[in-house]
Amino acid sequence: MLLLRDEESLATSLSQVREHSELTRRVQRGEADLPAAHGRKLLRTLRAATRSAMYRDRLGEELRERLAADTLDPAEALEKILPSLPFLSKQELSAHGAAAFTQPLSSFLHYYESSGTTGDPAPAPKAINDLVTNTINIGEMWRRILQPSDVGLILINAPFAPAAYQFEKVLEYLEVMSLRPWVDNITGDYTRVLRLVEELGANVFVGPPSRLLEMVQFAYRRELPPPRFDRLLLMAEQTGPAFQRHLSRLTGAVPYVAAYGSSETGTIAVTCEARQLHIQLQSYVLEITDESGTRPLSGRNDRGELVVTTLDVPSRPLLRYRIGDLVEVDYSGCECGLATPLLRTLGRSQDVLTFAGSGVRQDDLEAVLWAEDLPAPLVFNYMLVVEGRTVICLVTTNGTPDDAWNAELAGRLAPLFATHEVVVRPVETLPPLASLGQYLGWKLSRVLDLNERRNWSRLPEPIGSIVQATLRSLGR
């Protein structure tokens, strides 16, 4: 998996592979003593954190002395010390930059940064140890879905983020051939990618759904055969049931929300063959926080904002990191037979459109846009433009909609926007923003608020003229 020249580094890496693989499999079978494993790993993580300038004032002198003297019991560290530590916010992590590291920058293998979706980018370099554990965590789940005869297309245009490289290592771990092309965000020309998909027989897509949508739409627009896949391993964007059904209809594939995590934390949950995300308990201590307080996962179903403590990233440990995502944790079991709890993402707390006190969520909107009983033509993709009390839903389709179709869809969307007037306008292409969901999040990539005048410049022609004409027709 890793070709390392240094014999000591190679031996250490191989030992970690064997140890972590065995723990991962025992956790999946429900045979591991998780409190003991968590306590042991947390002690190691706390000791590593003492070498990070970011935790200089967070750990306290007494705790540092006990860690140095090796007088802290693993159970006490897990049950008392960790809950007493302050939360770490995204803003704080970004502000500290390289001060979060516990080792020299030159000792990492690769340098990456977080996307900056919800704040300034945070450094997220990869060291050997966390690359090994994260690859095994994902690989031991994806092996239930993939075979060596598969060919994977990894289509992730994120040069500063580790995702594309990480998933390439996972497919390598599983001995699955992959290709990792690049598509320019400006030209959006998928001609070569579509040719390679056909010639190589690529049957597995790995990447964000907005990129897949753009590729399928490009094929239809150029009258090329649309790509067909067996499985879609989707990540980096909120992809609800309606969105998944839409992608399945377009590609003929079975969609999986393949993984959940971030550049900073690593992969917290991974899909099984039953299309459920399983929490990787061997590598994390997770808590839930809401208005009623903060509590660790306890074997009971729960929901709220996720708080993450990493256990396998000693080079850049995160203690009680508020990731900013709303989740639901489910202990009721999975048909795949694995013993680990399930995680369902509910979106980011800021990814809600608020109109006169009521909220519109992505899943509710997409359930209307991609309803199976919506008459033809089929909606490929969409963007919402808000101006005053008007919501203009820009859509791309696989046909030529008429006024009756526009009115039908607007009528279906209207109940979601009770205080606003909704109109639908078909366009040939959407602004480049619509394909950037993996970087910007749903609201920033799919919702353009023209009440901020500077946002008019983000509407290229002829879309800007269409929006202006629509507003004039409504007397705006």
Side-chain angles (χ1 to χ4, degrees):
M1 186 177 68
L2 286 175
L3 298 177
L4 302 172
R5 183 177 183 276
D6 182 77
E7 290 291 336
E8 183 177 350
S9 296
L10 180 60
T12 300
S13 175
L14 288 174
S15 175
Q16 184 186 8
V17 167
R18 296 189 181 101
E19 179 182 331
H20 191 72
S21 296
E22 176 57 27
L23 174 60
T24 299
R25 292 162 187 162
R26 285 192 287 114
V27 169
Q28 290 181 350
R29 296 192 298 264
E31 300 171 356
D33 184 347
L34 273 173
H38 281 173
R40 183 175 66 253
K41 286 191 173 189
L42 180 59
L43 272 182
R44 184 184 66 185
T45 298
L46 288 170
R47 291 192 186 101
T50 62
R51 303 193 298 272
S52 166
M54 184 172 70
Y55 291 105
R56 182 177 293 118
D57 300 323
R58 287 174 169 269
L59 298 184
E61 195 60 37
E62 181 183 351
L63 176 58
R64 289 174 176 276
E65 290 174 357
R66 293 187 65 187
L67 288 168
D70 197 20
T71 60
L72 184 60
D73 180 74
E76 182 185 357
L78 184 63
E79 298 168 9
K80 295 183 179 179
I81 299 299
L82 183 62
S84 71
L85 298 178
F87 289 134
L88 176 65
S89 69
K90 283 178 172 263
Q91 293 75 20
E92 289 172 302
L93 178 61
S94 297
H96 278 92
F101 305 157
T102 65
Q103 61 191 52
L105 182 60
S106 60
S107 65
F108 289 89
L109 282 183
H110 300 278
Y111 183 83
Y112 297 105
E113 290 185 342
S114 67
S115 65
T117 300
T118 55
D120 293 331
K126 284 285 184 183
I128 294 175
N129 45 23
D130 65 281
L131 179 61
V132 166
T133 55
N134 207 48
T135 299
I136 291 170
N137 288 348
I138 303 170
E140 287 300 308
M141 294 295 297
W142 284 11
R143 72 178 180 84
R144 307 168 71 91
I145 302 170
L146 302 178
Q147 296 82 205
S149 58
D150 289 323
V151 177
L153 168 66
I154 302 172
L155 197 56
I156 302 175
N157 282 22
F160 295 109
Y165 173 74
Q166 175 64 83
F167 295 130
E168 188 175 56
K169 301 305 291 183
V170 171
L171 296 189
E172 183 181 307
Y173 174 77
L174 297 173
E175 299 182 68
V176 172
M177 190 183 91
S178 66
L179 61 152
R180 183 155 63 100
W182 177 268
V183 177
D184 186 274
N185 281 330
I186 304 301
T187 63
D189 190 337
Y190 288 86
T191 305
R192 189 172 186 177
V193 177
L194 290 166
R195 175 180 63 79
L196 289 172
V197 167
E198 185 174 0
E199 290 181 359
L200 300 178
N203 65 326
V204 177
F205 174 87
V206 182
S210 60
R211 187 63 59 182
L212 176 60
L213 272 180
E214 189 176 62
M215 178 170 63
V216 171
Q217 184 178 321
F218 178 89
Y220 275 95
R221 200 165 58 241
R222 298 294 181 92
E223 297 184 345
L224 299 171
R228 307 293 285 179
F229 297 98
D230 294 330
R231 277 143 284 158
L232 308 176
L233 298 180
L234 307 168
M235 71 281 298
E237 299 172 24
Q238 179 74 4
T239 313
F243 202 169
Q244 292 179 48
R245 288 193 298 271
H246 177 57
L247 295 172
S248 182
R249 278 192 287 173
L250 290 174
T251 64
V254 177
Y256 298 82
V257 177
Y260 166 76
S262 70
S263 300
E264 315 94 272
T265 64
T267 306
I268 298 167
V270 188
T271 190
C272 69
E273 66 272 27
R275 301 170 62 199
Q276 300 285 348
L277 286 169
H278 287 256
I279 297 174
Q280 301 303 292
L281 293 174
Q282 64 273 15
S283 294
Y284 300 93
V285 174
L286 302 179
E287 300 170 272
I288 297 292
T289 188
D290 57 21
E291 63 277 0
S292 68
T294 304
R295 54 219 171 261
L297 301 191
S298 61
R300 294 193 298 269
N301 295 354
D302 205 348
R303 64 189 297 162
E305 183 186 341
L306 193 63
V307 179
V308 179
T309 294
T310 59
L311 299 176
D312 287 320
V313 193
S315 57
R316 188 184 38 79
L318 299 178
L319 300 172
R320 308 196 82 199
Y321 181 58
R322 293 188 69 163
I323 198 170
D325 288 346
L326 303 175
V327 302
E328 183 176 69
V329 178
D330 185 351
Y331 280 89
S332 59
C334 180
E335 62 184 79
C336 75
L338 294 179
T340 45
L342 308 179
L343 182 141
R344 299 185 185 93
T345 60
L346 305 175
R348 289 194 171 101
S349 54
Q350 65 267 40
D351 267 1
V352 177
L353 295 181
T354 303
F355 295 100
S358 62
V360 178
R361 291 191 171 275
Q362 176 185 354
D363 287 352
D364 297 333
L365 176 69
E366 291 173 350
V368 175
L369 287 170
W370 293 319
E372 293 186 11
D373 65 343
L374 182 68
L378 178 70
V379 173
F380 277 135
N381 207 351
Y382 72 95
M383 173 178 274
L384 300 180
V385 177
V386 182
E387 203 276 342
R389 301 185 73 82
T390 301
V391 175
I392 304 173
C393 182
L394 303 174
V395 295
T396 55
T397 68
N398 66 346
T400 306
D402 56 20
D403 291 343
W405 185 91
N406 296 342
E408 167 77 14
L409 181 53
R412 293 181 179 216
L413 291 169
L416 297 177
F417 303 92
T419 61
H420 283 59
E421 183 174 5
V422 180
V423 292
V424 172
R425 289 293 180 266
V427 294
E428 282 295 312
T429 60
L430 291 170
L433 280 174
S435 66
L436 301 180
Q438 74 180 102
Y439 316 108
L440 303 176
W442 173 66
K443 194 158 68 173
L444 290 179
S445 64
R446 299 292 183 86
V447 182
L448 194 60
D449 187 355
L450 295 185
N451 294 308
E452 294 187 28
R453 303 308 299 175
R454 61 180 180 175
N455 283 340
W456 278 99
S457 63
R458 305 173 84 177
L459 286 176
E461 291 299 336
I463 298 173
S465 296
I466 292 172
V467 170
Q468 288 178 331
T470 300
L471 293 172
R472 283 197 301 269
S473 72
L474 296 171
R476 300 291 190 265

